[in-house]
Amino acid sequence: MKIRSIKNLASGIIFLAIAAVFWTGSFAMPIGTAARMGPGYFPQVLSVLLALLGAGIVASSLYVEDSMPAAFHWRGLAFIIGAAVLFGVLLKPLGIVPALGATILITTMASPNFRPATALVLAVGLVGFVWIVFVEALHLPWVAFGPWLGGY
Amino acid sequence: MDIFSNLALGFGTALSFQNLLYCFVGVAIGTFIGVLPGLGPTATVAILLPLTFGLEPVSALIMLSGIYYGAQYGGSTTAILINLPGEASSVVTAIDGYQLARQGRAGAALATAALGSFFAGCVATLLLALFSPPLAAVALKFGSPEYFALVVLGLVASVALASGSVMKALAMVVLGLLLGLVGQDLYTGTMRYTYGQSQLIEGLDFVAIAMGVFGLGEVIRNLEQPGQRSIIVNKIEGLMLTLRDLKQIAKPVLRGTMLGSALGVLPGGGAMLASFASYMLEKRIARNPERFGKGAIEGVAGPESANNAGAQTSFVPMLTLGIPTNAVMALMVGALIVVGVTPGPNIIKAQPALFWGVIASMWIGNLMLVILNLPLIGLWVRLLRVPYHLLYPAIVTFCCIGAYSLANHVFDVFVMAGFGLVGYVLVKLDCEPAPLLLGFILGPMLEEHLRRAMLMARGDWTVFFTNPISGALLCVAFVALVLVLLPSISSARQEAFVEE
């Protein structure tokens, strides 16, 4: 027994785990019969199918020759996903202007090529652009500064 | 003939000032984003989708298709000039196009791509106009068993024709189907996988998913390769093709157009498969194939015509059957549903202005592309010089703003971030994201027709095989699946995709 494809092993395990989540979740819903399928019928069939495929992919990791998965770009991953999450968190309390500004500054940290001044200029420019296009031109009902900053 | 009055109606719609404007804006923004390295058509369409939500359905679809072929075209420019294809469909263009650019013939390569694409676009648009109505007429007679089988075939074929492991692609399809279940069950009103979250009642938003997987995921992947871009040309000259060039590209363009039009209709086909197939064909029948890879102009002419033709004809199954065959078409279906149109066989009869207007706009849009790209090439080249690190914060910004603007829910931003992470990890493990999106879009349709067919057949599973059309379609799907899983074929298939 030698694992030849880490990629297949890992992705197979991920699929198995997701299948397990959907499978357990399907018990809460009536299955029904083949003629009158309940809301749980299709989910159950699909989770079993995904589990079978996941198991197959895990098994295939024993004989599929494969390269190691390429290293994760942790810096990019952390700052890009983190920035998006931060935007979601800050948007309501702070309003779009500070939330977006902070988000852009965080995204710039994903690249080694930024100096603080460039990042700042870019953030101001982008926030201004978004404000002009989406709020001034398209009239989206967005709040510039939220409740934490004296807005509404 | 009927078709002329229909086309007249179409041009009447597409030539209205408003629609011309949306077409132009779509093509221009599409090219603009498409030229930016590392953003392919799928990501471009996903990111720009929210822009169209306030529009009339016709204008929305006209603008989106403009964005799509604009992005496709812009991607070829990037591929030729800096050897950095935005998406798989321009990978092959980069092979010979970049070599031509290095030999100082970037102008010829760009002109070939533009003219080939334009020609292919015209032919494919005509084919779309000719073949959609009869296909829709057939599809109108389809009942639930046929539709179920058609969706299954679409999903299986999209897996079979994609690159990479078949099992992983299938798993991604099923994962997409499962994710599509989240929300209220349409038949019984039961909540499925909502875990008490009111934001989940209407399900996950497909645009948020697409922006996460294709937008954010792409940005992170691009950050992995720092600053290896170099533009070798400063000034593009020689945009005029010589008579000798024209002779050389005429036949590849024709062949590419035919091949691309045919492959575009197939599920999972579309632009990418078309360009690969065309390149291999040109290389195989060339008198001296060793020129390929060293700057053969046929290697640009064929695939560029093929991918544009394929991009155009992939609208056929989407508009006539309501079945998207690739990720971009899945996005279009989603966008149409948002603006209140359900794509399907009824669309031609029920909304002729929409259907024919979009077709006419494709032709106009292709013309605009030529005008926009050849004389203005200098502008796009300048855009290529903007370093990536100044661009990606803008991309992330538009993803965040776009996800939020879908329904003014912060929740959609979190969904996008989550799928950015999931998409990045899965792509690292060689699981392609496109099948997931197809499954997500087609899932509700698949379940609806399954349940309805079984209800009418009183729980008799054989209905799918006693019905001749659905039986035939399911057999084709089954055979396709068995074929790609056979070891000998699967290895040949891998080679076809990694060639060059």
Side-chain angles (χ1 to χ4, degrees):
Chain A
M1 290 274 283
K2 184 172 173 290
I3 303 293
R4 291 174 201 272
S5 169
I6 301 287
K7 288 180 195 164
N8 282 16
L9 183 67
S11 54
I13 291 173
I14 292 176
F15 288 129
L16 277 172
I18 297 174
V21 171
F22 275 97
W23 193 58
T24 41
S26 73
F27 292 127
M29 306 174 255
I31 303 289
T33 62
R36 260 181 194 285
M37 293 184 187
Y41 198 104
F42 201 50
Q44 193 135 99
V45 172
L46 289 180
S47 4
V48 170
L49 197 59
L50 186 62
L52 289 176
L53 286 165
I57 295 167
V58 168
S60 75
S61 67
L62 293 174
Y63 61 86
V64 173
E65 282 299 343
D66 204 353
S67 55
M68 284 296 285
F72 279 24
H73 189 261
W74 292 109
R75 180 174 183 172
L77 192 62
F79 285 113
I80 299 294
I81 302 296
V85 172
L86 188 78
F87 179 72
V89 173
L90 294 182
L91 185 60
K92 289 286 167 177
L94 289 188
I96 191 118
V97 169
L100 194 59
T103 305
I104 295 167
L105 289 179
I106 299 289
T107 50
T108 60
M109 293 179 195
S111 160
N113 299 334
F114 272 105
R115 277 172 306 164
T118 339
L120 212 58
V121 170
L122 189 73
V124 171
L126 272 174
V127 172
F129 178 77
V130 165
W131 184 259
I132 290 169
V133 169
F134 288 90
V135 181
E136 298 294 333
L138 294 173
H139 300 292
L140 291 178
W142 292 347
V143 180
F145 296 96
W148 286 11
L149 298 170
Y152 53 92
Chain B
M1 268 267 295
D2 218 22
I3 184 152
F4 290 111
S5 60
N6 285 330
L7 281 177
L9 169 72
F11 276 101
T13 312
L15 286 172
S16 77
F17 173 74
Q18 192 193 355
N19 286 337
L20 270 182
L21 183 72
Y22 285 124
C23 186
F24 178 75
V25 171
V27 170
I29 304 188
T31 313
F32 180 84
I33 310 266
V35 165
L36 303 180
L39 271 186
T42 315
T44 310
V45 173
I47 292 167
L48 295 177
L49 214 50
L51 285 181
T52 62
F53 285 169
L55 305 178
E56 299 269 303
V58 194
S59 311
L61 196 57
I62 285 179
M63 184 161 154
L64 275 179
S65 28
I67 291 173
Y68 177 35
Y69 43 75
Q72 183 98 40
Y73 188 84
S76 320
T77 307
T78 320
I80 290 170
L81 291 180
I82 58 173
N83 197 16
L84 208 75
E87 201 165 56
S89 60
S90 33
V91 166
V92 287
T93 308
I95 303 169
D96 278 289
Y98 184 65
Q99 292 304 324
L100 280 167
R102 283 182 54 177
Q103 294 158 18
R105 300 197 63 211
L110 288 167
T112 302
L115 296 177
S117 296
F118 179 66
F119 175 79
C122 294
V123 172
T125 305
L126 199 65
L127 292 176
L128 185 57
L130 281 174
F131 288 109
S132 297
L135 192 60
V138 173
L140 269 180
K141 298 200 181 79
F142 280 10
S144 283
E146 287 96 338
Y147 257 105
F148 174 80
L150 204 56
V151 175
V152 170
L153 176 62
L155 289 174
V156 167
S158 74
V159 167
L161 295 172
S163 59
S165 150
V166 175
M167 266 207 291
K168 285 182 187 170
L170 273 178
M172 290 296 270
V173 166
V174 178
L175 180 56
L177 292 171
L178 279 168
L179 292 169
L181 293 172
V182 175
Q184 196 168 20
D185 175 32
L186 289 178
Y187 278 68
T188 59
T190 314
M191 294 301 162
R192 299 199 282 193
Y193 304 112
T194 51
Y195 301 103
Q197 300 290 314
S198 61
Q199 292 100 329
L200 282 173
I201 292 175
E202 282 177 31
L204 296 165
D205 195 290
F206 87 101
V207 185
I209 295 181
M211 279 203 260
V213 173
F214 292 106
L216 295 186
E218 210 97 313
V219 166
I220 305 171
R221 275 192 292 285
N222 284 325
L223 284 171
E224 287 173 3
Q225 309 130 352
Q228 42 160 295
R229 298 191 279 140
S230 55
I231 305 178
I232 33 146
V233 267
N234 291 312
K235 205 163 176 308
I236 312 286
E237 281 164 343
L239 279 174
M240 292 302 284
L241 292 172
T242 61
L243 203 61
R244 198 174 140 259
D245 289 332
L246 281 177
K247 259 191 201 151
Q248 219 170 1
I249 65 167
K251 278 184 186 160
V253 166
L254 261 177
R255 284 190 291 259
T257 304
M258 292 304 139
L259 196 62
S261 303
L263 291 175
V265 187
L266 294 183
M272 176 187 134
L273 185 69
S275 59
F276 270 88
S278 166
Y279 190 81
M280 289 198 291
L281 176 74
E282 290 308 323
K283 196 172 168 184
R284 195 145 299 167
I285 63 174
R287 212 167 296 147
N288 23 8
E290 66 280 358
R291 287 194 307 120
F292 279 77
K294 301 192 187 101
I297 198 143
E298 300 96 314
V300 175
E304 274 304 295
S305 317
N307 75 26
N308 207 35
Q312 225 92 305
T313 54
S314 61
F315 278 83
V316 172
M318 193 273 282
L319 284 171
T320 60
L321 306 173
I323 296 184
T325 53
N326 55 43
V328 176
M329 289 303 130
L331 288 167
M332 298 260 178
V333 169
L336 277 176
I337 291 170
V338 171
V339 294
V341 176
T342 312
N346 289 316
I347 212 173
I348 301 181
K349 283 265 161 10
Q351 311 233 22
L354 172 90
F355 179 79
W356 295 101
V358 169
I359 289 189
S361 87
M362 286 179 180
W363 189 80
I364 300 170
N366 272 294
L367 188 65
M368 284 181 182
L369 265 185
V370 175
I371 300 171
L372 201 60
N373 274 286
L374 290 185
L376 293 182
I377 186 69
L379 188 75
W380 307 120
V381 172
R382 212 165 308 152
L383 201 60
L384 282 176
R385 288 225 182 76
V386 179
Y388 188 73
H389 75 268
L390 292 181
L391 293 173
Y392 80 84
I395 299 168
V396 177
T397 301
F398 287 118
C399 286
C400 289
I401 294 287
Y404 178 63
S405 71
L406 295 174
N408 290 335
H409 283 160
V410 174
F411 183 74
D412 288 326
V413 178
F414 294 133
V415 170
M416 176 189 70
F419 275 91
L421 178 68
V422 171
Y424 179 77
V425 173
L426 285 173
V427 169
K428 278 278 177 204
L429 300 172
D430 289 344
C431 297
E432 290 204 39
L436 184 143
L437 205 64
L438 274 185
F440 184 82
I441 290 280
L442 287 170
M445 196 171 168
L446 189 68
E447 184 183 18
E448 185 195 331
H449 289 296
L450 173 68
R451 281 162 91 169
R452 199 184 292 163
M454 290 301 281
L455 189 65
M456 298 213 278
R458 302 199 181 131
D460 181 8
W461 285 98
T462 56
V463 62
F464 294 108
F465 295 95
T466 50
N467 176 315
I469 297 178
S470 100
L473 291 172
L474 286 176
C475 283
V476 173
F478 180 74
V479 170
L481 202 55
V482 171
L483 281 180
V484 287
L485 284 171
L486 286 180
S488 59
I489 300 210
S490 71
S491 61
R493 187 170 145 274
Q494 297 303 343
E495 270 166 39
F497 279 103
V498 294
E499 193 184 13
E500 323 313 331

